[in-house]
């Protein structure tokens, strides 16, 4: 769907058209879910957070300019929902090794890797490395996880990250650089 | 040799340094093994994060979200405030109707004269309002609403109705 078609859906949704908003959800639910999953680590929690993010987006449509792409805005809301839930302890933090093992639900079907040109051994190693970094992200304090998410996965600038989390730019930079340092130390192990 | 600090290394990788600072950092990195190692460590983190791929969503969220899109009804207290305002306004209009009708029926100079006379009466009685109010509060309440109330009592009643309307609307707008 091109941006013009999406803008039409947004404008219809702004006028209260639930079906149009439902179409926006269908288009972007996977991306929004993945934001929440990277931050929360459990599939069920991530689905609930994604649902909450879309509901907040619907209620805040009046403040959204239809000319802008919808997905980045929805993903930022999802990041804030996940952060709120982590800080309010609405979701249990992943502390047990057993919990962290839950994150190992990345692709397990090696046939999926066949089209990438990698050997099965390379595919397994890549999958293990991905699971490792996911687990290490989930070990970070919530504030650090969110800045990693917004900078690396949503590719926001420092200033955009600061605006999204409503914190001073210097604090956001400190958190981001410390988070990267923590990840670097964990990845050495 | 002064090494690049953590902030500079991170901003260098994020391409967030200005042109001069970037050139300076690049020049230092070209000759400093310690900073090269620190940069490589950071680059390892960037590369590892790039390996995280998106997972497929196995549940459809649309049926879970659509039922919640209906506008939320106003809370009961807000509807009660609105109802009280409407009833109060209707009563006030009903009681004032005979006076308003009489004033509207006067035409031309008579209307102008009547309004000026009314204003003079209101202004003349304004000072009596405070004295009347003091007298009311110093006595046991015996206030009844009738069409023959004196002007000062009407003014006080109108003032109270206006205050209730403003407060009610502030609460409703805030909701």
């Amino acid at each position: 769907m091109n941006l013009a078609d999406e803008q039409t859906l947004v404008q219809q949704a702004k006028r209260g058209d639930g079906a149009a908003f439902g179409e926006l959800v269908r288009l972007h639910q996977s991306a929004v879910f993945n934001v929440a999953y990277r931050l929360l680590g459990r599939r069920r929690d991530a689905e609930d957070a994604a649902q909450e993010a879309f509901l907040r987006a619907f209620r805040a449509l009046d403040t959204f300019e239809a000319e802008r792409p919808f997905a980045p805005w929805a993903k930022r809301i999802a990041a804030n929902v996940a952060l709120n839930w982590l800080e309010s302890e609405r979701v249990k933090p992943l502390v047990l090794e057993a919990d962290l093992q839950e994150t190992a639900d990345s692709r397990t079907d090696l046939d999926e890797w066949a089209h990438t040109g990698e050997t099965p051994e390379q595919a397994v190693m890549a999958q293990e490395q991905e699971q490792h970094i996911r687990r290490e992200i989930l070990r970070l304090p919530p504030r650090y996880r969110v800045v990693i998410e917004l900078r690396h996965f949503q590719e926001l600038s420092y200033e955009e990250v600061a605006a999204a989390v409503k914190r001073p730019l210097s604090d956001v930079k400190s958190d981001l650089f410390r988070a990267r340092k923590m990840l670097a130390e964990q990845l050495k192990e | 040799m002064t090494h690049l600090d953590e902030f500079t290394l991170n901003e260098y990788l994020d391409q967030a340094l200005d042109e001069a600072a970037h050139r300076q950092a690049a020049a230092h990195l070209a000759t400093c093994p310690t900073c090269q190692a620190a940069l490589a460590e950071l680059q390892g983190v960037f590369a590892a994060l790039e390996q995280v791929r998106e997972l497929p969503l196995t549940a459809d969220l649309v049926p879970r979200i659509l039922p919640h899109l209906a506008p939320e009804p106003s809370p009961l207290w807000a509807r009660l405030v609105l109802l009280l305002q409407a009833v109060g306004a209707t009563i006030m209009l009903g009681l004032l109707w005979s006076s308003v009708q009489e004033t509207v029926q006067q035409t031309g100079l008579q209307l102008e004269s009547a309004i000026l006379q009314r204003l003079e009466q209101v202004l003349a009685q304004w000072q009596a309002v405070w004295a009347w109010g003091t007298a009311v509060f110093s006595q046991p309440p015996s206030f009844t609403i009738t069409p023959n109330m004196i002007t000062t009592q009407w003014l006080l009643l109108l003032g109270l109705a206006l205050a209730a309307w403003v407060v009610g609307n502030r609460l409703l707008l805030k909701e």
Side-chain angles (χ1 to χ4, degrees):
Chain A
M1 170 171 289
N2 60 36
L3 187 57
D5 291 339
E6 185 179 273
Q7 285 173 3
T8 303
L9 282 176
V10 170
Q11 279 157 358
Q12 288 169 343
K14 275 168 160 284
R15 290 194 289 269
D17 186 342
F21 190 77
E23 186 59 21
L24 287 169
V25 171
R26 191 187 65 78
L27 289 168
H28 301 296
Q29 58 182 343
S30 181
V32 170
F33 161 78
N34 272 279
V35 169
Y37 188 73
R38 284 190 291 265
L39 291 168
L40 298 174
R42 288 197 189 92
R43 191 171 271 277
R44 175 68 65 87
D45 291 341
E47 289 171 3
D48 291 346
Q51 178 182 335
E52 176 65 20
F54 279 116
L55 289 174
R56 288 194 192 183
F58 182 74
R59 290 193 283 265
L61 272 177
D62 285 346
T63 66
F64 178 69
E65 295 167 18
E67 297 74 31
R68 290 164 45 204
F70 182 80
W73 183 61
K75 290 198 287 186
R76 279 202 287 277
I77 294 175
N80 273 308
V81 167
L83 178 60
N84 293 158
W85 285 11
L86 285 167
E87 290 184 332
S88 67
E89 298 180 358
R90 177 169 164 168
V91 292
K92 293 181 204 168
L94 297 180
V95 291
L96 300 173
E97 193 55 40
D99 288 334
L100 291 169
Q101 203 58 35
E102 273 188 33
T103 66
D105 64 354
S106 300
R107 288 183 253 177
T108 53
D109 184 357
L110 292 178
D111 288 342
E112 290 190 37
W113 297 78
H115 71 282
T116 66
E118 292 173 316
T119 66
E121 293 76 20
Q122 287 172 330
V124 168
M125 189 174 293
Q127 188 177 41
E128 284 176 359
Q129 285 170 348
E130 182 187 342
Q131 287 167 13
H132 186 202
I133 188 67
R134 279 187 184 274
R135 283 197 294 267
E136 297 313 323
I137 291 171
L138 293 171
R139 286 186 198 274
L140 294 173
R143 261 176 31 202
Y144 289 11
R145 277 186 233 178
V146 166
V147 293
I148 288 286
E149 163 67 31
L150 294 174
R151 177 76 192 111
H152 284 272
F153 296 103
Q154 298 189 31
E155 298 180 345
L156 302 187
S157 66
Y158 296 152
E159 290 77 14
E160 287 169 333
V161 173
V165 298
K166 297 185 177 55
R167 291 181 55 231
L169 181 61
S170 56
D171 289 358
V172 161
K173 281 187 186 179
S174 286
D175 286 352
L176 179 62
F177 302 162
R178 269 190 220 124
R180 286 169 175 170
K181 190 170 183 178
M182 286 176 71
L183 286 174
E185 285 162 9
Q186 292 299 326
L187 289 175
K188 277 188 216 170
E189 295 176 5
Chain B
M1 178 189 282
T2 306
H3 296 297
L4 298 179
D5 62 44
E6 182 187 49
F7 268 57
T8 304
L9 271 177
N10 275 275
E11 288 180 332
Y12 176 82
L13 265 184
D14 284 329
Q15 301 182 349
L17 293 173
D18 62 49
E19 206 176 313
H22 187 92
R23 273 202 307 271
Q24 211 170 7
H28 177 86
L29 282 165
T31 58
C32 176
T34 304
C35 290
Q36 284 169 11
L39 185 73
E41 195 174 82
L42 261 183
Q43 285 171 323
V45 173
F46 278 52
L49 289 170
E50 282 173 19
Q51 286 183 22
V52 177
R53 305 175 208 223
E54 299 225 326
L55 299 180
L57 175 61
T58 54
D60 185 4
L61 300 180
V62 175
R64 289 165 57 167
I65 289 170
L66 285 182
H68 297 280
L69 298 185
E72 291 175 3
S74 304
L76 179 61
W77 68 263
R79 283 177 273 167
L80 279 175
V81 166
L82 199 61
L83 181 63
L84 282 172
Q85 283 185 312
V87 167
T90 305
I91 292 171
M92 292 298 303
L93 276 173
L95 292 172
L96 287 170
W97 181 246
S98 57
S99 303
V100 169
Q101 204 176 27
E102 187 183 328
T103 305
V104 166
Q105 279 170 356
Q106 293 179 0
T107 57
L109 290 173
Q110 284 179 331
L111 178 61
E112 186 182 13
S113 173
I115 290 172
L116 286 172
Q117 277 182 8
R118 180 70 74 175
L119 281 175
E120 283 172 7
Q121 285 173 5
V122 168
L123 286 169
Q125 290 182 358
W126 187 249
Q127 288 180 350
V129 172
W130 289 109
W132 175 83
T134 306
V136 164
F137 285 108
S138 66
Q139 294 171 10
S142 58
F143 188 72
T144 56
I145 297 176
T146 69
N148 296 321
M149 287 195 307
I150 61 174
T151 305
T152 50
Q153 289 176 326
W154 274 113
L155 283 173
L156 186 64
L157 187 61
L158 281 171
L160 288 171
L162 182 65
W165 177 74
V166 169
V167 169
N169 278 341
R170 274 189 67 89
L171 289 171
L172 288 172
L173 285 170
K174 188 178 177 185
E175 177 61 24

